Amino acid sequence: AQSVTQPDIHITVSEGASLELRCNYSYGATPYLFWYVQSPGQGLQLLLKYFSGDTLVQGIKGFEAEFKRSQSSFNLRKPSVHWSDAAEYFCAVGSNAGNNRKLIWGLGTSLAVNP
Amino acid sequence: DAGVIQSPRHEVTEMGQEVTLRCKPISGHNSLFWYRQTMMRGLELLIYFNNNVPIDDSGMPEDRFSAKMPNASFSTLKIQPSEPRDSAVYFCASSSGTGTAGELFFGEGSRLTVL
């Protein structure tokens, strides 16, 4: 079955600390992988995506993610967290097969940042 | 660009009433998606359109839900009759291109409360 698992429901880090949010997926086809961020009361915004090539991808706001096929993972990282990074983070997987535009979403990880 | 515009932002209604949510996608985008977000089930795709044509409505919960896209710049999601379990935030998103490669641009959502 196709699925995305974000093992951590909630994470709290101190401002300036490093961050890693975990994402594991189960997907039959070659996956396209995404991280989206949702600030309170807002819609989701794309942080970064992986289709092919270099397994370390850079995104907006200083985020990066690494695709590890052997571990079926696509973890999101940031070296130094800012208070404004407090938000909900969603991992998603999809494919470019045919005209299929459905993404499979994780349940999200809520990030709190302590001053 | 104004982004994806949804209305109303908040709706409080009583059980049994008809609810209509509206969405204006980003000009030039050829795909439109309706999502529902709840704490229990996370982000669920209800239906998506390509070039105004419904492609996959398998996520629509039941016959009480219907969606239309009469033209490239407008879509509605209707719930009739509404029930308390429909309370959620409903997001509209639009995208260009094919497959899942295209970035989804989300509106700010319509928060529905059914009493």
Side-chain angles (χ1 to χ4, degrees), chain B residues 27-47:
Chain B
S27 177
H29 283 186
N30 64 335
S31 295
L32 183 139
F33 304 76
W34 281 101
Y35 281 92
R36 178 172 66 178
Q37 185 178 41
T38 61
M39 290 292 293
M40 292 300 296
R41 301 172 67 91
L43 201 61
E44 301 173 277
L45 177 64
L46 301 177
I47 184 171

Side-chain angles (χ1 to χ4, degrees), chain A residues 55-91:
Chain A
T55 56
L56 184 64
V57 294
Q58 303 296 320
I60 62 172
K61 306 185 181 186
F63 284 92
E64 65 178 26
E66 185 172 12
F67 171 58
K68 292 185 177 180
R69 185 184 299 275
S70 62
Q71 299 179 18
S72 297
S73 70
F74 188 56
N75 294 348
L76 182 71
R77 300 194 294 249
K78 187 169 184 177
S80 177
V81 171
H82 188 262
W83 64 266
S84 61
D85 293 325
E88 189 89 14
Y89 292 80
F90 294 91
C91 181

Side-chain angles (χ1 to χ4, degrees), chain B residues 94-110:
Chain B
S94 69
S95 181
S96 61
T98 60
T100 57
E103 176 180 353
L104 293 177
F105 291 82
F106 284 78
E108 294 185 321
S110 295

Side-chain angles (χ1 to χ4, degrees), chain A residues 32 34 36 38 41-46 49 51 90 94-96 98-103 105 107, chain B residues 9 31 33 35 37 43 45 48 50 56 58 91 95-101 103-104 106-108:
Chain A
Y32 285 15
F34 306 82
Y36 280 79
Q38 183 181 26
Q42 302 294 313
L44 283 72
Q45 179 186 21
L46 179 68
K49 59 187 177 183
F51 293 161
F90 294 91
S95 81
N96 209 29
N99 204 27
N100 178 16
R101 304 222 59 187
K102 293 181 72 169
L103 291 177
W105 295 85
L107 291 180
Chain B
R9 290 294 313 277
S31 295
F33 304 76
Y35 281 92
Q37 185 178 41
L43 201 61
L45 177 64
Y48 77 92
N50 260 9
D56 188 335
S58 60
F91 286 103
S95 181
S96 61
T98 60
T100 57
E103 176 180 353
L104 293 177
F106 284 78
E108 294 185 321

Side-chain angles (χ1 to χ4, degrees), chain A residues 5-24:
Chain A
T5 301
Q6 294 180 244
D8 305 304
I9 296 174
H10 185 85
I11 286 181
T12 300
V13 299
S14 297
E15 190 167 19
S18 63
L19 172 70
E20 182 170 33
L21 302 183
R22 295 181 291 164
C23 173
N24 294 98

